[in-house]
Amino acid sequence: MDTCKYVHYAIDEDDQRVHMRRQHREAMNTRAKNSAAMLVSDSKSLSVTATTITPPQWIQCDIRKLDKDVIGKFTVIMADPPWDIHMELPYGTMTDDEMRNMGVETVQDDGFIFLWVTGRAVELGRELLAIWGYDRVDDIIWVKTNQLQRLIRTGRTGHWINHGKEHCLVGVKGNPKNFNRGLDCDLIVSEVRDTSHKPDEIYGMIERLSPGTRKLELFGREHNTQNNWLTLGNQLDGVHLEWEDVKQKYFARYGMSLPF
């Protein structure tokens, strides 16, 4: 940071900012409760259908210990795991075996998975997709830019060459239906923000691929909560659920406590 030629700012987490974030979340929830017209297409044509949008949901938990039967099945899963990439990181990591034994295969029968990988985790990620029952069908590449929208040439990761990009492996399981082919490309060019903060563009890509379906994000934080998504992670704040079937199973299993 001391040798960087660009100006960096740190914003204190004051009461006003917390209040603004709460207002933003409430506004999102209000809009999400209404039905919206969304574009839905197959590979040949476009049509408009009414799709009900569910407000953001989340569970603060240790994903390794959560009873995944309580959350049901999902059409799309996205995960940004805390890989052990043999570097000093500002958060805890998980071992390779803990990743292999997460039980991701239990929360999806037919659908897609988007798995963010970096460094040595690229090969491990491909192995995990196979273990969890997926066929890898694509890679999305995030090209990172700085505050001036220029390519980053001094990335924070990389043992031999500085990394200016990250990969998101895309896997398919079973026989997913009612999804849209060919609406987006496999490249995202977007500015780097906080550590491990992935580009927001990925959510739009996924929603266009599978509009209105149930989606699950693993290892998410507050900024990851989105309409139609259930977010799991130990850096969230409490529990907020909208789907009645999930609410019933969760509170029957854990009551008002957190699943740690």
Side-chain angles (χ1 to χ4, degrees):
M1 189 75 77
D2 293 336
T3 60
C4 181
K5 63 182 179 180
Y6 302 119
V7 178
H8 297 262
Y9 297 93
I11 301 176
D12 292 331
E13 185 78 5
D14 54 21
D15 292 340
Q16 183 178 6
R17 188 180 181 199
V18 172
H19 178 67
M20 290 175 63
R21 285 165 60 184
R22 186 180 297 113
Q23 284 186 320
H24 172 70
R25 178 182 292 170
E26 291 173 354
M28 283 184 64
N29 289 348
T30 300
R31 290 196 304 268
K33 288 181 183 297
N34 300 321
S35 296
M38 300 186 64
L39 289 177
V40 180
S41 73
D42 56 21
S43 59
K44 296 181 179 180
S45 62
L46 289 172
S47 61
V48 177
T49 62
T51 302
T52 300
I53 301 177
T54 304
Q57 304 170 83
W58 60 89
I59 300 175
Q60 180 185 1
C61 64
D62 183 335
I63 296 174
R64 295 168 296 185
K65 300 177 182 179
L66 177 69
D67 180 358
K68 296 175 181 59
D69 286 341
V70 304
I71 60 175
K73 304 286 184 177
F74 296 84
T75 303
V76 178
I77 299 171
M78 182 164 67
D80 181 20
W83 305 105
D84 182 5
I85 58 174
H86 303 162
M87 295 181 64
E88 185 176 347
L89 297 168
Y91 51 81
T93 60
M94 289 174 58
T95 67
D96 295 357
D97 282 339
E98 285 178 320
M99 294 290 183
R100 294 184 181 100
N101 297 320
M102 275 205 309
V104 174
E105 64 276 5
T106 64
V107 294
Q108 188 173 68
D109 295 327
D110 302 280
F112 303 89
I113 189 168
F114 293 77
L115 182 63
W116 288 99
V117 294
T118 184
R120 63 173 287 272
V122 173
E123 296 303 322
L124 176 58
R126 291 172 177 167
E127 176 191 339
L128 292 181
L129 291 186
I131 291 174
W132 297 338
Y134 294 90
D135 294 322
R136 187 185 67 82
V137 294
D138 245 320
D139 286 11
I140 297 172
I141 297 177
W142 170 28
V143 178
K144 300 178 178 181
T145 61
N146 60 22
Q147 293 168 319
L148 301 180
Q149 302 307 307
R150 295 175 179 171
L151 295 180
I152 285 184
R153 304 183 186 277
T154 56
R156 287 173 288 186
T157 61
H159 290 284
W160 307 103
I161 298 175
N162 289 323
H163 294 170
K165 61 177 174 56
E166 284 191 37
H167 291 256
C168 182
L169 306 181
V170 183
V172 173
K173 181 180 182 183
N175 184 30
K177 296 179 174 60
N178 301 322
F179 64 93
N180 305 313
R181 297 177 183 268
L183 297 185
D184 288 281
C185 73
D186 59 356
L187 187 67
I188 297 173
V189 180
S190 182
E191 183 178 334
V192 169
R193 292 170 289 182
D194 299 333
T195 300
S196 194
H197 193 153
K198 298 303 186 285
D200 294 336
E201 289 86 343
I202 190 69
Y203 295 104
M205 294 176 66
I206 292 174
E207 192 62 35
R208 288 185 290 274
L209 173 71
S210 183
T213 57
R214 289 193 177 190
K215 302 172 179 70
L216 173 69
E217 179 160 8
L218 305 176
F219 306 104
R221 292 178 284 174
E222 185 174 358
H223 64 256
N224 297 117
T225 57
Q226 302 283 328
N227 295 333
N228 294 335
W229 288 79
L230 170 62
T231 306
L232 306 181
N234 62 6
Q235 297 183 47
L236 296 164
D237 183 15
V239 177
H240 177 76
L241 297 172
E242 295 281 342
W243 295 318
E244 288 300 325
D245 57 326
V246 177
K247 279 171 122 176
Q248 293 175 10
K249 291 180 181 178
Y250 177 87
F251 290 113
R253 174 69 172 81
Y254 293 107
M256 299 301 295
S257 62
L258 296 176
F260 280 95

